[in-house]
Amino acid sequence: MNGKEILNSIIGKRLKKGKIQSFFLDKELVDRINVSYFEFDNWISIVSTDEITTIRNSGKSIEEIKTFRNEDAEFSYPTELTEIIFPEFEKYIGMKLVEWKEIVWKKDNDLSFGINLYFEKNLNLIIHNEKIPDDKNEYIFENKLPKDLIEK
């Protein structure tokens, strides 16, 4: 996992806002949660793909890639407020992050599949990559890990 120090630096900080960047190919939705953005003091981005979870500090704003074309296809990466796609996210806004854990595969804890964010008031938000069959990211708004994953 890359960016552990960024997550450690936001422990005790309040979540101000969330955004989701989706991925469309030729106007067809490929991945609803391509990148997760969360604003604490600054924006951070969370990407979990190919058995690697990466956290980056995005500063005071996030890079919004709209659409581009090459000779074969159109690629679009729109961002929306998280609560528009997931209304249950609203209860996390204003809550302090109290802890986080990396989520790894049971059989090989070097393969990272996301993170479990622990907020005050016993709120959890799991962001994980569903490697098989689709390699898509998913949010789970409770502390229930998918079957083959554990916390590291």
Side-chain angles (χ1 to χ4, degrees):
M1 182 171 143
N2 302 311
K4 293 177 183 180
E5 67 286 349
I6 295 169
L7 288 173
N8 288 336
S9 76
I10 60 174
I11 298 288
K13 307 282 184 180
R14 293 192 184 278
L15 178 64
K16 296 178 183 176
K17 195 182 295 184
K19 288 189 174 187
I20 292 174
Q21 179 193 77
S22 300
F23 169 50
F24 289 80
L25 177 62
D26 291 327
K27 298 186 170 93
E28 295 283 328
L29 180 63
V30 174
D31 194 359
R32 170 59 67 199
I33 308 168
N34 187 50
V35 181
S36 298
Y37 293 100
F38 296 116
E39 183 183 19
F40 290 88
D41 287 342
N42 290 308
W43 286 95
I44 64 165
S45 66
I46 302 169
V47 176
S48 187
T49 189
D50 299 326
E51 296 89 33
I52 299 171
T53 301
T54 301
I55 315 299
R56 289 193 176 99
N57 190 338
S58 298
K60 295 290 181 191
S61 63
I62 59 174
E63 179 182 0
E64 296 203 30
I65 305 167
K66 298 294 184 202
T67 301
F68 67 92
R69 270 194 89 65
N70 68 17
E71 57 199 40
D72 299 320
E74 178 180 283
F75 303 86
S76 182
Y77 299 90
T79 57
E80 292 185 77
L81 289 171
T82 305
E83 62 268 24
I84 291 173
I85 299 167
F86 299 104
E88 58 268 51
F89 184 78
E90 280 191 56
K91 65 185 171 190
Y92 293 79
I93 296 173
M95 295 295 134
K96 284 184 186 176
L97 183 68
V98 295
E99 186 180 9
W100 66 272
K101 298 281 185 187
E102 181 180 10
I103 300 171
V104 297
W105 191 34
K106 277 184 192 177
K107 296 179 183 177
D108 185 346
N109 68 10
D110 288 330
L111 300 180
S112 181
F113 282 86
I115 58 174
N116 187 351
L117 299 174
Y118 290 78
F119 289 89
E120 62 186 343
K121 296 190 179 179
N122 292 320
L123 293 173
N124 284 76
L125 174 56
I126 295 171
I127 303 166
H128 83 96
N129 184 261
E130 208 177 61
K131 179 65 178 152
I132 299 169
D134 299 323
D135 193 27
K136 292 186 179 184
N137 286 292
E138 175 182 51
Y139 284 0
I140 300 173
F141 291 95
E142 57 185 334
N143 196 12
K144 288 190 177 180
L145 293 175
K147 183 178 98 178
D148 293 324
L149 302 179
I150 58 171
E151 290 183 337
K152 184 173 179 180

